[in-house]
Amino acid sequence: MSYLRLENITKRFGAFTAVDRVALAIEEGEFVCFLGPSGCGKTTLLRAIAGLDFQSEGRILQAGRDISALPPRERDFGIVFQSYALFPNLTVGQNIAYGLENRGLPRRRITERVAELLRLVGLEDQGDKYPAQLSGGQQQRVALARALAPSPGLLLLDEPLSALDAKVRLYLRHEIRDLQRELNVTTIMVTHDQEEALSIADRIVVMHRGRIEQLGTPIEIYQNPATPFVADFVGTMNFLEGTVVEAGRARVAELVLECPTDGFAPGDRVTVAIRPEDVVVRAVTAETRNRFAARILRTDFLGPFLRVEIGAERLGAVRLLVDLSINLVRDLDIELGGGLEVAVPPERIRLYPPGAG
Amino acid sequence: MATAAPAAPVRTVLATRADAWLTRGFILAIMLYLVVALALPLWTVFVKSVEVYRFTPERVTVAFFREGAWEPARSLAAWIEETGYVLNDGLRASERSRERLVAIIPKKARKGVEKYRVRDLSEEGGLLLLEGRLSRPGEVWELARRDFARLRLRPESHISLDNYRYYFATPALRSSIRNSFLTSGLTTLIVIPLAFGFAYALTRSCMPFKGLFKLIALVPILVPSLLPGIGLVYLFGKQGLFTPLLMGHDIYGPIGIVMASTFFTFPHAFLIILTALSISDARLYEAAEALRASRFRIFRTVTLPGARYGLISAAFVVFTLVITDFGVPKVIGGTFNVLALDIYKQVIGQQNFQIGAVVSVVLLLPATVAFAVDRIASRRQVALLTARAVPLVPRPHRRFDVAMLGFCSLVAVYILGILVMCQLAALFEFWPYNLSFSLKNYDFDRMDGGGWAAYWNSIRMAGWTAVIGTAIVFCGAYIVEKIRGLVQLRAGFHLLAMLPMAVPGMVLGLSYIFFFNDPSNPLNFLYGTMAILVISTIVHFYTVSHLTALTALKQMDPEFEAVSESLKQPLWRMFTRITVPVCLPAILDIAIYLFVNAMTTVSAVVFLYSTTTALASVAVLNMDDAGDIAPAAAMGMMIFYTNVGARLLQALSSRVLLTRTQAWRLR
């Protein structure tokens, strides 16, 4: 029995359907990310789980209890928002204590719990400060502590890191992950940052236009994107127009590539998808499959790697983006206008229906 | 979408627990307040304005018992035709018109009659009145001679537009429309450039004493609009110091109205334009200078367009204030009639409520239009505000700064001159004849108008208004801004809260007479009490307070409520622990705004005070009316000092509260 079950959740705002028949099961202690571009329905879905906006249709079950129609106060969750939403007139300690009060807990117990949480998020000596006196990262940790204080069964994070600097974001990402593992609290995080989702989640729910596009582990999502949308949204992808020649072979312009063609018949028009980092340039020999001669038409220095645009005689006007690590560039003496032998491993190529990308 | 799995639609559960019921109860209670204290009374004004009273003698028959037999009944109309009697002296009948039947049927004709039989043939009844008893439809009364002598005919009421026809056909009434537009328009044309110049000097020059000038500009807010009228009478009246400046024209009339209105509307225009000018973006000026635009060209192409919505908004606010004000024309209007004064004259002077209602409706139209334009303009201005701008820091420019200082000094002298004049007149035995110092003008108990009791009543009234009003306004704004769900209910509530701005005080006051003085209204017991004064004043100044509260609430994170709910805390706890403390400065602003306005307002309360609840501002009016001008000035200045005191108290308490509960604001 899953800890949280969403059955057929639909949310309409007037004629607009923000979430369209979403079904999902989340296990206890799991860290799940809702990933998608803005307007894909991920925040709406989160708010429905929290009871802040009610779904138009469908059921939500938490720990076997139907919470579909319960107001937020009667559900069991803690929530952290992008804006932190810390109460400005309460100290850090009072903020964390806020959810512990009014429950019949003795004062001493509350003080202990607040100290415990301050320690947990590494702000032991900041309890008497006001939120405005803390940095953004510290504020977000207070918000996290406040949400965790009543020991909720479910932690909801709504773009918690988006308002922070890149460095702090990276650091806090790991901290949230560690904290979640330590407390084993079931967590759902909404984000539009694919890197964040890939690094932090046990499973990712990629959403698009109110529907679940793909559900899987970060590696599955990245390596086997179920749809062109996922392929394009997570990581970078070359989409090339092509045709299936025969089983196991597709043609792009004049170049015939070996690739899995399951689900397509010879003569079908397809979109051939190749990730820039999957194109091989080292140790390409006469036996390497899908090998062809290419020319470097443009280079883009991106720090840890070089993104180059290559063309080939057999590709005609089609261009392909290839990511090359800096030491590779150094070793192979790659430069603008130069030629090189490249290959695409067949198992790294994916075919989608035509028109994608 | 028939393929969708069958799933029951989810009912939005909001009312499951006490907390939700509390919220809903609150919305309904505050809505009920606005409906009872605003919407229903206003409706009665419309109803009254189409209510026409007419004698219907054809619906009453009289039969004589003479010489042992009943003679055939005749209608009163037949008698009137025969005798040529003129009902109500030929005047339009009003609600209170009465005719004695013995006046209609001549004494000669009644000779030897022992008994009378009168019959009310109307469908509504009530045509006949005897000792407070009304006839029922079709009822027959048999009366002895003595009773018949006391019998009176009442007019019947109809719904018709006759009142409007009468109004527009009566030149004396109709001319007020032109007069009102004339004085309001002229004042607007004078105040806007003055206020703009003043605000421009404060934001764009490096002249000294800016803080002082700003304080002086706001002084008129603290006095009733009657006071500048009184001051001008002293300065420019028959024995005034500066009367020769008028070159033979009379201060009583449009000149006085415009001069006094300029005084009391100045701060309102000034504040709006000041805000508009303060948000100008320095980068635009730098760009213009880099393009070598002249000072004048920059003014024309950058300054004016940036402030245009502020100017439009200020113009309509001033226009509305003047056209709805009744204090100024009452004191200094002389025989020059304006709409707001007409309502007062029709109701208080002539007891003609129907025509008073017609004038109210006529006055509501321009006020509503001006209100709508102002709202649209200020929304645009706010849109400009949200753009991230770099504040402009003025640079010294000697000639310009001196000129601006001169201009502001002139305006300041005008404002302070009127106040000083009032204070001097109050302190001297008899200005300008006997200039010995005296406190006799402060002996209010010896004058008409309510005496010192009126002053204390005003303070009590203003205090209640501030306390209760702030609570209602803030809770109402919280509901509009922060509660989830109930969208339509909240939108309707917001609309109701915006309505008072468009309703002139006189119209509000009159509507209260109609609504609360109706004996069949269960709320009738409120009439003549302190409570009705507080209720009407809160409603009168609701909109601005509501907008202040909304602005403060909008600055709070919209997720606070969600967080609090997720932490399982009831709404009231969130409200008292977070919302109220964070918004405390705004709450104090609302309270002081309500207090000051309750101290100075005349228009609505002038219809509603009773002998035990006379107010200081009304006392100013009544003493002035009775010719006790110096005491009126003295009382007006008392209001001024009280408001100054209240403001100081607010400033002080804000500071204390800031250090004690707002420590989080100081980084």
Side-chain angles (χ1 to χ4, degrees), chain B residues 481-647:
Chain B
E481 182 61 28
K482 299 288 183 188
I483 301 291
R484 283 181 298 116
L486 309 173
V487 180
Q488 279 151 1
L489 201 62
R490 286 188 298 138
F493 178 66
H494 183 61
L495 202 71
L496 263 181
M498 296 306 291
L499 194 60
M501 185 87 117
V503 180
M506 299 303 287
V507 178
L508 189 68
L510 184 60
S511 74
Y512 272 44
I513 299 184
F514 293 149
F515 186 68
F516 289 101
N517 197 23
D518 182 352
S520 62
N521 186 337
L523 296 171
N524 180 253
F525 68 92
L526 286 171
Y527 199 71
T529 62
M530 179 63 95
I532 199 168
L533 296 177
V534 173
I535 292 171
S536 72
T537 309
I538 292 173
V539 169
H540 191 175
F541 300 104
Y542 199 97
T543 307
V544 172
S545 320
H546 179 71
L547 291 174
T548 309
L550 272 190
T551 309
L553 287 168
K554 273 188 205 298
Q555 286 167 357
M556 291 183 73
D557 195 316
E559 310 292 9
F560 280 172
E561 275 70 19
V563 166
S564 182
E565 272 192 90
S566 79
L567 294 170
K568 319 229 175 329
Q569 300 298 327
L571 194 65
W572 61 262
R573 192 151 179 278
M574 162 80 206
F575 185 74
T576 52
R577 188 108 192 265
I578 314 292
T579 314
V580 170
V582 170
C583 292
L584 208 54
I587 291 174
L588 280 176
D589 278 350
I590 294 169
I592 198 73
Y593 169 84
L594 287 174
F595 183 90
V596 165
N597 278 296
M599 283 302 292
T600 59
T601 189
V602 197
S603 49
V605 292
V606 75
F607 289 139
L608 302 173
Y609 75 95
S610 67
T611 47
T612 55
T613 59
L615 298 173
S617 52
V618 178
V620 176
L621 178 86
N622 287 338
M623 288 192 281
D624 176 78
D625 215 23
D628 296 327
I629 303 179
M635 184 66 103
M637 290 307 286
M638 284 305 294
I639 295 176
F640 171 65
Y641 295 128
T642 308
N643 281 337
V644 170
R647 275 256 178 235

Side-chain angles (χ1 to χ4, degrees), chain B residues 97-356:
Chain B
S97 306
R98 303 286 183 267
E99 276 291 347
R100 278 151 38 120
L101 267 70
V102 288
I104 297 171
I105 306 172
K107 204 170 175 182
K108 272 193 304 194
R110 287 185 276 118
K111 203 167 178 195
V113 177
E114 295 158 43
K115 280 192 296 188
Y116 298 86
R117 231 182 223 168
V118 287
R119 185 169 193 168
D120 179 344
L121 295 172
S122 69
E123 286 126 39
E124 309 282 318
L127 293 192
L128 296 167
L129 174 71
L130 179 67
E131 315 265 284
R133 216 161 62 85
L134 293 178
S135 54
R136 285 195 298 274
E139 195 181 10
V140 179
W141 283 349
E142 206 169 299
L143 303 171
R145 262 167 33 200
R146 217 184 45 201
D147 283 338
F148 187 73
R150 294 198 198 107
L151 188 65
R152 284 154 193 270
L153 180 67
R154 288 173 77 242
E156 229 181 320
S157 77
H158 305 269
I159 288 177
S160 110
L161 291 174
D162 269 1
N163 292 327
Y164 288 89
R165 276 186 215 111
Y166 172 78
Y167 178 83
F168 287 105
T170 312
L173 288 171
R174 202 180 48 203
S175 65
S176 294
I177 300 178
R178 197 178 48 94
N179 291 350
S180 273
F181 273 84
L182 181 77
T183 50
S184 310
L186 265 180
T187 308
T188 309
L189 286 180
I190 293 170
V191 166
I192 297 303
L194 283 181
F196 182 83
F198 209 92
Y200 191 75
L202 286 187
T203 51
R204 301 294 149 81
S205 82
C206 288
M207 66 171 195
F209 312 123
K210 281 187 186 173
L212 181 69
F213 279 120
K214 190 175 173 189
L215 274 184
I216 293 173
L218 298 181
V219 155
I221 287 182
L222 306 178
V223 302
S225 66
L226 303 153
L227 201 65
I230 294 172
L232 288 173
V233 166
Y234 276 110
L235 289 169
F236 295 95
K238 299 276 184 287
Q239 302 298 331
L241 277 173
F242 301 106
T243 309
L245 286 179
L246 292 178
M247 290 181 294
H249 294 284
D250 196 354
I251 190 74
Y252 294 98
I255 297 179
I257 295 179
V258 170
M259 284 175 77
S261 301
T262 302
F263 174 92
F264 92 88
T265 56
F266 182 80
H268 300 273
F270 164 70
L271 278 180
I272 296 171
I273 298 174
L274 185 70
T275 314
L277 283 177
S278 332
I279 58 166
S280 292
D281 193 341
R283 288 172 304 187
L284 286 177
Y285 286 84
E286 282 162 6
E289 271 175 34
L291 294 166
R292 293 171 195 277
S294 69
R295 227 181 146 82
F296 176 68
R297 182 137 185 260
I298 294 177
F299 177 80
R300 209 164 41 83
T301 54
V302 180
T303 310
L304 274 185
R308 66 184 182 279
Y309 294 119
L311 286 171
I312 294 170
S313 176
F316 279 92
V317 164
V318 169
F319 187 90
T320 314
L321 281 171
V322 179
I323 207 169
T324 58
D325 178 62
F326 123 100
V328 164
K330 178 81 185 71
V331 171
I332 208 167
T335 54
F336 190 81
N337 277 341
V338 293
L339 289 171
L341 194 55
D342 277 347
I343 301 179
Y344 182 74
K345 285 183 173 171
Q346 290 294 329
V347 172
I348 301 290
Q350 305 183 10
Q351 300 273 314
N352 196 337
F353 295 100
Q354 281 71 31
I355 296 300

Side-chain angles (χ1 to χ4, degrees), chain A residues 8 21 47 51-58 68-69 71-79 81 83-90 94 98-103 130 132-133 146-147 150 211, chain B residues 1 3-14 16-17 19-20 484 557 559-560 562-575 577-578 581-582 660-661 663-664 666-667:
Chain A
N8 210 24
R21 284 167 291 162
R47 291 180 72 88
L52 296 170
D53 289 322
F54 285 96
Q55 67 277 18
S56 314
E57 278 167 30
S68 309
R73 203 161 300 125
E74 288 167 50
R75 302 187 183 194
D76 177 21
F77 71 96
I79 192 162
F81 291 102
S83 63
Y84 325 132
L86 293 177
F87 304 133
N89 61 324
L90 303 186
Q94 287 169 332
Y98 186 85
L100 300 168
E101 290 160 8
N102 231 13
R103 298 174 179 235
Y130 286 101
Q133 295 167 307
R146 180 178 64 181
R211 295 189 185 216
Chain B
M1 288 291 169
T3 51
V10 174
R11 196 170 57 86
T12 307
V13 179
L14 200 123
T16 45
R17 299 296 179 268
D19 196 50
R484 283 181 298 116
D557 195 316
E559 310 292 9
F560 280 172
V563 166
S564 182
E565 272 192 90
S566 79
L567 294 170
K568 319 229 175 329
Q569 300 298 327
L571 194 65
W572 61 262
R573 192 151 179 278
M574 162 80 206
F575 185 74
R577 188 108 192 265
I578 314 292
V582 170
R660 279 194 42 208
T661 68
W664 51 274
L666 318 160
R667 283 200 177 224

